[in-house]
Amino acid sequence: MTDIRASATRSPTGDDATGDNDLAAFALLPAFRRRQFQPDQEVIREGDPAPHAYALVSGWAFSYRLLADGTRQVLAFHIPGDMPGLADALLGRSSAGCKAATPIVANSLPAYQLRAALTHDPGLAAPVLRALSREAVAAQERMVDLGRRSAVARTVHMLLELGERLQRAGMAVGNGYACPISQILLADALGLSAIHLNRVLRRLREDGVLRFRAGHVVFDDPARARRLALSSRQDTPEPYPGRPRHSTLPGP
Amino acid sequence: MTDIRASATRSPTGDDATGDNDLAAFALLPAFRRRQFQPDQEVIREGDPAPHAYALVSGWAFSYRLLADGTRQVLAFHIPGDMPGLADALLGRSSAGCKAATPIVANSLPAYQLRAALTHDPGLAAPVLRALSREAVAAQERMVDLGRRSAVARTVHMLLELGERLQRAGMAVGNGYACPISQILLADALGLSAIHLNRVLRRLREDGVLRFRAGHVVFDDPARARRLALSSRQDTPEPYPGRPRHSTLPGP
DNA sequence: CGACATATTGACCTTAGTCAAAGAGGGTGG
DNA sequence: CCACCCTCTTTGACTAAGGTCAATATGTCG
């Protein structure tokens, strides 16, 4: 458990052929320092000019940006295998903060050492490039969610996506997973108010699509969830129509 | 003009010390192929499994994702010096489409050649890593805009940011710049309806903040624009208060 | 000039946010 | 074990930002 390689091969298949697990890249790195953080503890400080890159070993973390009035936008959730702060370490300045959502264990590497390693070890660049590229694609998905999907679609979409990532990391079972984040945090990721998110979740629960409760997500109707996740803002009022306060299943 | 280095040094200072111009990285690459595209012509096809990376030499382009019902989210605008499709080329699959917004000239390189070049030339990795990292930071900014800023703040923020990028590329003069994109396109980038964006722009114009017209952006009150851009969704109704239909300057 | 796309504006409606307040769980000191 | 305190979750009532529809300019191009 202290061994990086151990968690790097946490994936179900054992080998990380798809490269989905960023940790695989980092397993090659020297001079990693193992660190632990408690929930809500700051891992990366926004604006830090000498940041560290991290390889998350266990637990959940999240990156965020704070606005002048205290409003927060959560940019990404990090699960074991992710490498928070990678881009920032390469640029030499943290553009966003990162906090632990649960108790976490992470391996850290100072930015300058990362850059040095990249210079000296040509084999390291490829996996880091892939990690960054995947991050870029994930960010695109987020932009589509925030810009063009309804609150319901956005919510379902993100929860499905998290499920897929956890699945690949071997941390999901059947059609559900442990999701140790508060509605407030999720709302800040979805660009919604916590209150509205709560209503959205209630509706999804009452309609038998999914339950988000007590740290767990369960998809009661995965197929419908996937359909909902793809709908856009003013999509056919088919899947999630107008008025029914208490819903009716698929309906006529 | 056909020489890559020429446009790579398009920046005002001549040398690209900050590395803001992605083209600098590409200038090292062999086997570039110069291509031209007309407005609305597809440069990168979403889903293409064998994509090309591009170095934009002149003109504007934009990356986007299409939703089932035809809704579009513009993910980024590309100006000379940018490298659209870089992340996709590294992953071997285009996650988003890219089209020319104006007539453009771009140098293209097949993904496999890019990857080969990265393997053979260790000096190439660093600039590509920086380019990807900058892209990540830009995406974060976009997520904050879409998730947590009002329509007005978002609009002003993006126009200011575009101005800064153009400035660094030596394509902006004083407090304005040529901005050859339609309101529809801008709206799709901001996650707004074109109609609402039009109202926002009208208001900004009437309030003497900025004008977006006939392919040009002019900041009439740059200081106020910057202030507006930082406000969040339910920020103090100070800068952009309630009713005044025809506005009054800063006012009491 | 006609065909088209973009830009504007008005009238109206829906989604999502705000305010206020009441439950629910989980620690903790007594 | 219990009162107290916190934070997170829920719900109701109301407001407002932003979307939808429809129609009218404007502009460009062949």
Side-chain angles (χ1 to χ4, degrees):
Chain A
M1 231 176 250
T2 28
D3 182 55
I4 300 165
R5 284 162 201 78
S7 52
T9 56
R10 190 191 281 276
S11 78
T13 58
D15 76 327
D16 198 307
T18 56
D20 269 356
N21 192 323
D22 295 341
L23 254 185
F26 251 163
L28 308 168
L29 286 180
F32 249 135
R33 218 177 90 210
R34 191 168 185 276
R35 299 185 59 184
Q36 305 196 31
F37 298 87
Q38 290 314 303
D40 203 51
Q41 192 182 342
E42 200 166 42
V43 178
I44 297 174
R45 178 181 303 277
E46 183 177 343
D48 183 354
H52 289 238
Y54 289 85
L56 189 50
V57 175
S58 70
W60 288 46
F62 61 96
S63 297
Y64 62 93
R65 284 273 308 272
L66 254 27
L67 279 75
D69 67 343
T71 310
R72 178 176 62 174
Q73 174 65 44
V74 168
L75 304 166
F77 290 115
H78 305 292
I79 63 174
D82 288 349
M83 292 179 34
L86 186 52
D88 287 346
L90 290 169
L91 289 180
R93 184 175 177 284
S94 290
S95 59
C98 179
K99 280 188 173 183
T102 69
I104 65 172
V105 175
N107 290 313
S108 79
L109 188 74
Y112 75 92
Q113 280 189 22
L114 171 63
R115 288 193 290 264
L118 281 166
T119 314
H120 297 320
D121 179 354
L124 193 60
V128 173
L129 286 165
R130 272 202 306 278
L132 280 175
S133 299
R134 275 198 301 279
E135 201 177 299
V137 175
Q140 287 179 4
E141 211 65 56
R142 219 92 326 279
M143 286 186 264
V144 174
D145 272 359
L146 293 170
R148 288 301 185 213
R149 285 205 251 256
S150 70
V152 168
R154 239 183 281 185
T155 304
V156 176
H157 188 255
M158 167 159 276
L159 291 178
L160 279 171
E161 211 177 68
L162 269 174
E164 284 165 22
R165 286 173 58 199
L166 291 165
Q167 197 94 50
R168 285 197 293 266
M171 296 175 67
V173 283
N175 44 14
Y177 55 88
C179 186
I181 59 180
S182 70
Q183 292 186 10
I184 296 178
L185 196 56
L186 183 57
D188 278 348
L190 295 170
L192 300 173
S193 68
I195 296 180
H196 191 63
L197 172 61
N198 181 277
R199 290 192 249 259
V200 167
L201 290 174
R202 164 162 52 128
R203 181 129 177 222
L204 290 168
R205 180 181 353 117
E206 290 175 351
D207 282 7
V209 176
L210 64 83
R211 280 167 292 159
F212 181 98
R213 259 174 179 304
H216 284 267
V217 172
V218 177
F219 291 99
D220 294 315
D221 189 340
R224 194 138 79 94
R226 276 186 286 275
R227 227 174 311 128
L228 273 177
L230 294 181
S231 61
S232 61
R233 214 174 255 170
Q234 70 300 314
D235 213 2
T236 132
E238 236 252 86
Y240 246 84
R243 308 303 99 238
R245 284 290 158 65
H246 205 275
S247 115
T248 48
L249 280 214
Chain B
M1 241 187 236
T2 29
D3 182 54
I4 299 164
R5 285 163 200 77
S7 50
T9 55
R10 189 191 282 276
S11 76
T13 57
D15 75 328
D16 197 308
T18 57
D20 271 354
N21 192 323
D22 294 342
L23 253 184
F26 250 164
L28 308 168
L29 287 179
F32 249 135
R33 217 178 91 212
R34 189 167 187 276
R35 299 186 58 183
Q36 304 196 29
F37 298 88
Q38 288 316 301
D40 203 52
Q41 192 181 342
E42 200 166 42
V43 177
I44 298 174
R45 179 179 304 275
E46 182 175 346
D48 183 354
H52 289 238
Y54 288 86
L56 188 51
V57 175
S58 70
W60 288 46
F62 62 96
S63 296
Y64 61 94
R65 285 272 307 275
L66 253 29
L67 278 76
D69 67 342
T71 310
R72 178 176 62 172
Q73 174 65 43
V74 168
L75 303 166
F77 291 114
H78 305 294
I79 62 173
D82 288 347
M83 292 179 36
L86 184 53
D88 287 345
L90 291 169
L91 289 179
R93 184 177 175 284
S94 290
S95 58
C98 179
K99 279 188 171 181
T102 68
I104 66 173
V105 175
N107 290 313
S108 80
L109 188 73
Y112 75 92
Q113 281 189 22
L114 171 63
R115 289 191 291 264
L118 280 167
T119 314
H120 298 319
D121 180 355
L124 194 59
V128 173
L129 285 166
R130 271 202 306 278
L132 280 175
S133 299
R134 274 197 303 278
E135 201 176 300
V137 174
Q140 288 179 4
E141 211 64 56
R142 220 93 323 285
M143 287 187 264
V144 174
D145 271 358
L146 293 170
R148 288 301 185 213
R149 285 204 251 257
S150 70
V152 169
R154 239 184 280 186
T155 305
V156 176
H157 188 254
M158 166 158 277
L159 292 178
L160 278 171
E161 211 176 69
L162 270 174
E164 283 165 22
R165 287 173 58 199
L166 290 165
Q167 196 94 51
R168 285 196 292 266
M171 295 175 68
V173 283
N175 43 15
Y177 53 89
C179 185
I181 60 181
S182 71
Q183 292 185 8
I184 295 179
L185 196 57
L186 183 56
D188 278 349
L190 295 170
L192 300 173
S193 68
I195 296 179
H196 191 62
L197 172 62
N198 181 278
R199 289 192 250 259
V200 167
L201 290 174
R202 165 166 46 131
R203 180 129 174 222
L204 289 168
R205 184 185 346 121
E206 290 175 350
D207 282 8
V209 176
L210 64 82
R211 279 167 293 161
F212 180 98
R213 258 174 178 305
H216 283 267
V217 173
V218 177
F219 291 100
D220 293 316
D221 188 340
R224 194 137 82 94
R226 276 187 286 275
R227 228 176 307 132
L228 274 178
L230 294 181
S231 61
S232 63
R233 214 175 255 169
Q234 69 300 312
D235 213 5
T236 130
E238 235 252 88
Y240 247 84
R243 306 307 101 231
R245 283 291 159 65
H246 204 275
S247 115
T248 48
L249 281 211

